[in-house]
Amino acid sequence: MANQINKTDVLKTSLILLVLISSIIFLYSPHFKTKLGGYDVMELYREAQNRNTFKKIIDYKYFSQGGGPTSAYFNPVILLVWRQMATNYDKNHFFYHLLCTLIHIINTMIVFFLLKAFIKNNLFSFLATLSFTIYYLNFLTVGWIASGINQGLTIFLVLSALLSVIKYFQTKNTFFYFLSLLSFFLGTFTKEIAIFTIPILLAYYIIIQREKIFKFIKPDLILLPYLILSLPIILITFARMNGSAVITSFGGINFGAHMLYRFLDYVNYMITIIPASHIAKITLAMFILFLLPFLIYYGLRDKKLLFLTIWLALSIAIFIFSNFRDIYDLGRYLYLPSIAWFAMLYYIASNIKNLKTKIISSFFLINYTIVLNLFLILTRK
């Protein structure tokens, strides 16, 4: 009987993954027509050609003469990928888009298994993952080769670290713990934002796993290796103080107010998907601020909801300091937050007790997270 149940679960999971992968292949295929171009893309391409030895790639003092994305971050893992692509495929855009799509497919699979740890209902975990998969801003992110590789690869390692440590807590298999550490360490050498995996893991550990006692206990040491592994990128960042994107873009004297504005701006963009009017943005921001205490209140009674809310806030907070251009040019920074956003929405829907309310809520949610994004993708010119 148990074997029959396991076979059924494997079949359901395989079918869900097949639908998710097929959706990406079908919807993302127009990207393959886009040629290799754009400032960041060509800067990375040239950098991959110029830094043609491993020694040059790991040189943390190196700054691009063009002042492009390779100057903003110490990212040897990403440069190694770009080096391989430039060496093997030169400017053949098909293979770059293929890599971006494959990274998104892998991230989608990780997201599905990650969300299953919070949303037990297969249908709702599938709908949440599908929402992430076809989210219009993620569609644009994957279509732009620079962000498809850089952002996609960084988030892949962040998600791998999160999923692996959750698997460790579930199974107590140390293989998953060391896999999480490896993913985190490699992630710190993609983009510096990967270091923010630590507060997300800390939130998960304290809210979901830790015993509710107010004293130090031995399991608390589980996060110490992550802190130790973050030291190299922290030291390198300070050594590159004049060029790091983290160090040079803090927003000056109006730091607090500006950061709050940026946070709400990102939340607005994530919800509205397309540029919204000023009145719509203010109205939505007020609604979010009004709703937040209720989420925290109910989160204190529901540990998973509390973690998903904090995960969403942390995922957005990661990016509020790193770039001060027009928010509508920065949709790629919502690739990671969109996971927690859709997880939270579908987690709430899956836990509605009243069947009629659940069906109505799910109907509106599917139209908002799936149908709307499908429309935006299919009608994009």
Side-chain angles (χ1 to χ4, degrees):
M1 184 66 179
N3 288 336
Q4 186 64 37
I5 293 173
N6 288 335
K7 287 180 180 178
T8 303
D9 288 341
V10 169
L11 184 61
K12 287 180 180 178
T13 300
S14 300
L15 184 60
I16 286 171
L17 293 177
L18 180 62
V19 172
L20 292 170
I21 293 170
S22 299
S23 301
I24 295 173
I25 293 172
F26 172 71
L27 294 171
Y28 285 64
S29 57
H31 289 321
F32 286 79
K33 300 176 184 178
T34 307
K35 301 293 184 182
L36 197 72
Y39 175 71
D40 282 2
V41 174
M42 297 315 298
E43 169 70 12
L44 285 160
Y45 171 80
R46 287 191 294 269
E47 202 68 31
Q49 289 187 317
N50 294 336
R51 300 174 75 169
N52 55 4
T53 66
F54 184 72
K55 184 178 180 181
K56 289 180 180 179
I57 287 175
I58 62 172
D59 181 6
Y60 69 89
K61 295 181 179 179
Y62 184 93
F63 287 94
S64 168
Q65 296 300 315
T70 51
S71 286
Y73 301 100
F74 177 67
N75 51 8
V77 172
I78 286 175
L79 273 177
L80 281 170
V81 173
W82 276 92
R83 176 63 190 166
Q84 289 301 310
M85 295 300 292
T87 301
N88 295 318
Y89 306 112
D90 194 34
K91 294 182 180 180
N92 190 329
H93 61 279
F94 174 86
F95 291 100
Y96 289 87
H97 286 298
L98 180 62
L99 176 61
C100 294
T101 304
L102 287 174
I103 291 172
H104 189 52
I105 287 174
I106 294 170
N107 285 342
T108 294
M109 295 171 68
I110 295 174
V111 166
F112 175 70
F113 289 111
L114 188 60
L115 297 191
K116 278 176 65 69
F118 303 99
I119 306 173
K120 297 305 180 184
N121 186 302
N122 270 335
L123 175 61
F124 283 91
S125 57
F126 162 69
L127 291 173
T129 307
L130 182 61
S131 300
F132 161 78
T133 301
I134 64 173
Y135 184 45
Y136 182 62
L137 298 181
N138 291 347
F139 171 80
L140 298 179
T141 296
V142 175
W144 182 31
I145 292 172
S147 63
I149 295 177
N150 297 13
Q151 198 75 9
L153 191 58
T154 303
I155 302 309
F156 159 70
L157 291 167
V158 170
L159 292 176
S160 297
L162 291 174
L163 179 60
S164 297
V165 84
I166 289 173
K167 284 292 183 182
Y168 165 71
F169 282 119
Q170 291 174 341
T171 65
K172 301 304 179 184
N173 187 334
T174 53
F175 167 78
F176 290 113
Y177 180 62
F178 287 110
L179 182 60
S180 177
L181 290 174
L182 177 62
S183 299
F184 170 74
F185 183 66
L186 291 175
T188 61
F189 295 110
T190 52
K191 282 195 170 185
E192 293 152 323
I193 59 169
I195 203 170
F196 285 87
T197 307
I198 293 177
I200 297 174
L201 285 175
L202 180 63
Y204 176 80
Y205 171 68
I206 292 175
I207 295 170
I208 306 295
Q209 295 295 333
R210 195 181 190 278
E211 296 179 45
K212 297 300 182 287
I213 52 176
F214 293 97
K215 64 177 182 179
F216 176 81
I217 53 178
K218 189 176 180 180
D220 293 343
L221 292 172
I222 195 170
L223 292 173
L224 182 59
Y226 293 94
L227 295 172
I228 294 172
L229 290 175
S230 67
L231 288 177
I233 194 60
I234 291 173
L235 294 174
I236 289 170
T237 298
F238 278 105
R240 292 165 50 87
M241 190 169 288
N242 291 328
S244 170
V246 170
I247 298 297
T248 58
S249 302
F250 271 96
I253 192 167
N254 198 26
F255 175 78
H258 191 73
M259 294 302 98
L260 177 61
Y261 168 77
R262 292 293 285 184
F263 182 89
L264 292 175
D265 223 5
Y266 272 119
V267 173
N268 272 294
Y269 190 23
M270 181 178 66
I271 294 173
T272 58
I273 308 174
I274 56 176
S277 67
H278 184 67
I279 294 175
K281 290 169 66 175
I282 294 297
T283 303
L284 192 55
M286 291 175 64
F287 176 73
I288 292 164
L289 291 175
F290 173 77
L291 188 63
L292 192 59
F294 290 95
L295 279 173
I296 294 173
Y297 171 74
Y298 285 105
L300 293 174
R301 302 167 61 184
D302 185 331
K303 294 189 294 184
K304 289 182 179 179
L305 178 59
L306 179 60
F307 169 71
L308 291 174
T309 304
I310 292 175
W311 181 14
L312 175 61
L314 287 172
S315 297
I316 296 174
I318 290 170
F319 299 101
I320 60 175
F321 63 85
S322 63
N323 203 314
F324 289 91
R325 297 203 303 269
D326 180 12
I327 198 79
Y328 296 117
D329 291 331
L330 304 175
R332 62 190 181 277
Y333 291 161
L334 293 173
Y335 190 83
L336 178 62
S338 66
I339 301 169
W341 170 238
F342 294 125
M344 187 178 74
L345 290 178
Y346 279 98
Y347 177 80
I348 293 171
S350 68
N351 284 278
I352 296 174
K353 303 299 182 184
N354 184 280
L355 182 59
K356 185 178 179 180
T357 306
K358 191 172 191 173
I359 292 173
I360 294 172
S361 301
S362 301
F363 173 77
F364 283 107
L365 198 52
I366 290 169
N367 276 280
Y368 165 62
T369 65
I370 296 175
V371 176
L372 174 61
N373 286 282
L374 277 174
F375 173 78
L376 290 172
I377 291 174
L378 294 173
T379 57
R380 181 174 179 266
K381 296 179 180 180

